[in-house]
């Protein structure tokens, strides 16, 4: 089984993000206990909350919040939304 937490850090292209999303879907099916937000409604709500709060995430990492996300950040958002409250 692929570790999607590690995989997200290697995303650089649209194709890699698409593969990550495919594997994240498989992870949800085979490892639902790792997904606090396992319905579309809760997932999208958590994604919205994380995007709102993400300047704090970047600040804690000593990074600037990007004005334009890249493919890796979109993957990171998906991982955050699976467990964000």
């Amino acid at each position: 089984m692929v570790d999607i937490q590690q995989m997200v850090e290697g995303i650089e292209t649209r194709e890699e993000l698409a593969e990550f999303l495919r594997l994240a879907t498989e992870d949800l099916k085979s490892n639902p206990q790792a997904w606090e937000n396992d319905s579309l409604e809760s997932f999208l709500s958590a994604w919205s909350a994380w995007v709102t709060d993400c300047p704090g995430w970047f600040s804690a990492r000593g990074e600037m919040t990007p004005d334009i996300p890249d493919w890796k950040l979109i993957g990171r958002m998906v991982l955050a939304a699976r467990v964000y409250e």
Side-chain angles (χ1 to χ4, degrees):
M1 182 174 198
V2 174
D3 181 351
I4 59 172
Q5 195 77 36
Q6 284 185 327
M7 183 182 183
V8 75
E9 295 306 317
I11 296 172
E12 294 183 8
T13 66
R14 180 179 53 84
E15 294 82 8
E16 289 169 341
L17 176 63
E19 177 64 7
F20 166 79
L21 293 172
R22 186 186 71 72
L23 293 172
T25 302
E26 286 182 14
D27 186 70
L28 173 59
K29 290 176 186 176
S30 66
N31 192 22
Q33 67 278 4
W35 290 70
E36 186 169 323
N37 299 306
D38 59 356
S39 74
L40 182 58
E41 181 180 3
S42 66
F43 181 82
L44 292 175
S45 178
W47 193 337
S48 173
W50 189 87
V51 170
T52 299
D53 297 340
C54 76
W57 185 82
F58 282 101
S59 179
R61 297 171 59 93
E63 300 176 20
M64 298 290 295
T65 305
D67 291 326
I68 301 171
D70 59 14
W71 299 117
K72 181 188 302 186
L73 180 55
I74 296 169
R76 286 175 167 174
M77 289 177 184
V78 168
L79 285 184
R82 75 181 177 152
V83 296
Y84 200 76
E85 296 182 31

